[in-house]
Amino acid sequence: MRDDKLQRAVPVLSALGKSVCYLALFLGMQVAVLLPFSLVAGVQAALGGDADALYAELNANLMTYTMISGLLTLIIILAVYRLRRRPMAEALWLRGVDGPTLLTGAALAPGLYLIIGTLLMLLPKAWTESYNEASAGIDSGTLTGVLAVAVVAPVVEELIFRGLMLNRLRMVMPGWVAVLLSSAVFGACHGNPVWFGYAFALGAFFGFLDLRANSVLPSILGHLAFNAISQILSFVPETEDGSEAGLAVKILLLAAVAAPALNWRAITALFRRRPRRAALPAPRVLPTQPGTYDYDPWDE
């Protein structure tokens, strides 16, 4: 009995350990990029210099540093799997899907943005102010900021939290547990409590989408579309009568209705209830060679 429990625990612990390593890479790269500037500011403050100016410059260029850390993370991941001669499609869950399935995330992104935006508006004022303060640096209005938020961040985050973490966890635990666990970690990485709920909901949606498609590609495209909407709306000018903002919301509402309607066959097929498959019996003897099962501790 103890051997059976150990055998079942080893793959789970292995997947959790790898997930921690992927998370450490993601967070560690951000720290590595920002650490030199923080140290310089600390030294200046200790010597009586103007550390506030350096911190102001750091905040002003935060999106640039975010993009650099994201690109370095992506380069390291691709280089590691390239050197290990692992197929990217399997290692990063970049399995090919048909065109309509690929577009499901992007087609649902406008509606998802409206739902989350509406829920944010219903929050208490103190929570909203806290959220706005935490996300103030995102809408920088610069080309670098747009690329960091609408391109680099979605790709890196989906590969880390869904392509690597969720893809490993789903092999050793029920899919819904893997989705909720990876989404909770994704939300926690955003820090602010309101942002946690925002990111958790987004991560859970994209996670279940990927489970149905058996690929991370739909969530990458969906995340790209979702963040692109945010960046586009940040450029809408504020007027006293709110006419521009009202027009932008109407266009977004039209897209939220039209995009799923144009891709409704793929969306309904992806989320249609499927017959439950019989569970495979757990192996009673730990294999001595890799590749014996669909997933085992020596898989990577």
Side-chain angles (χ1 to χ4, degrees):
M1 181 66 68
R2 182 174 298 178
D3 291 341
D4 290 344
K5 291 182 178 180
L6 178 61
Q7 182 175 333
R8 290 194 297 268
V10 168
V12 176
L13 294 176
S14 177
L16 289 173
K18 292 173 184 177
S19 298
V20 171
C21 292
Y22 301 138
L23 179 62
L25 172 63
F26 176 74
L27 297 177
M29 195 55 59
Q30 295 181 3
V31 173
V33 172
L34 294 175
L35 185 60
F37 299 94
S38 300
L39 290 177
V40 172
V43 171
Q44 286 189 354
L47 297 177
D50 187 7
D52 293 338
L54 188 60
Y55 279 123
E57 181 182 355
L58 178 64
N59 290 329
N61 296 283
L62 187 60
M63 287 297 96
T64 300
Y65 303 135
T66 300
M67 184 172 68
I68 292 173
S69 66
L71 290 175
L72 289 176
T73 302
L74 187 60
I75 290 172
I76 290 175
I77 292 173
L78 296 178
V80 167
Y81 283 103
R82 180 70 175 178
L83 291 174
R84 297 177 63 185
R85 300 180 184 276
R86 295 299 308 277
M88 297 292 179
E90 295 300 321
L92 300 179
W93 211 11
L94 293 169
R95 293 180 176 179
V97 295
D98 59 272
T101 301
L102 177 64
L103 294 173
T104 51
L108 294 170
L112 183 63
Y113 190 91
L114 279 176
I115 293 173
I116 292 180
T118 302
L119 292 176
L120 288 175
M121 292 174 60
L122 297 176
L123 292 176
K125 184 178 180 180
W127 292 18
T128 304
E129 291 177 350
S130 174
Y131 169 76
N132 291 334
E133 182 179 352
S135 57
I138 293 180
D139 301 329
S140 61
T142 64
L143 177 60
T144 302
V146 171
L147 292 176
V149 175
V151 180
V152 177
V155 173
V156 175
E157 290 175 356
E158 290 306 311
L159 288 179
I160 290 290
F161 293 97
R162 256 70 69 184
L164 290 172
M165 293 180 62
L166 174 59
N167 189 28
R168 295 330 183 252
L169 295 175
R170 73 185 179 96
M171 299 178 185
V172 296
M173 61 182 65
W176 66 271
V177 176
V179 168
L180 295 181
L181 181 57
S182 60
S183 300
V185 176
F186 180 56
C189 288
H190 287 74
N192 183 272
V194 177
W195 224 346
F196 170 84
Y198 179 151
F200 177 83
L202 201 64
F205 173 81
F206 287 141
F208 281 114
L209 179 66
D210 288 341
L211 284 184
R212 303 295 290 185
N214 196 22
S215 172
V216 75
L217 291 176
S219 71
I220 290 179
L221 203 59
H223 204 155
L224 286 168
F226 187 93
N227 284 19
I229 293 172
S230 173
Q231 290 300 295
I232 292 173
L233 292 179
S234 69
F235 286 100
V236 176
E238 296 183 3
T239 57
E240 294 183 359
D241 59 358
S243 57
E244 284 80 1
L247 178 60
V249 171
K250 291 178 182 178
I251 294 175
L252 183 59
L253 182 59
L254 177 62
V257 175
L262 293 174
N263 199 32
W264 69 272
R265 290 183 182 274
I267 294 174
T268 54
L270 199 61
F271 289 96
R272 184 181 299 122
R273 185 177 180 84
R274 299 172 183 174
R276 185 184 298 272
R277 294 183 299 176
L280 296 176
R284 301 187 62 83
V285 179
L286 193 66
T288 57
Q289 297 294 329
T292 305
Y293 305 104
D294 290 339
Y295 179 85
D296 59 65
W298 299 275
D299 185 47
E300 295 185 3

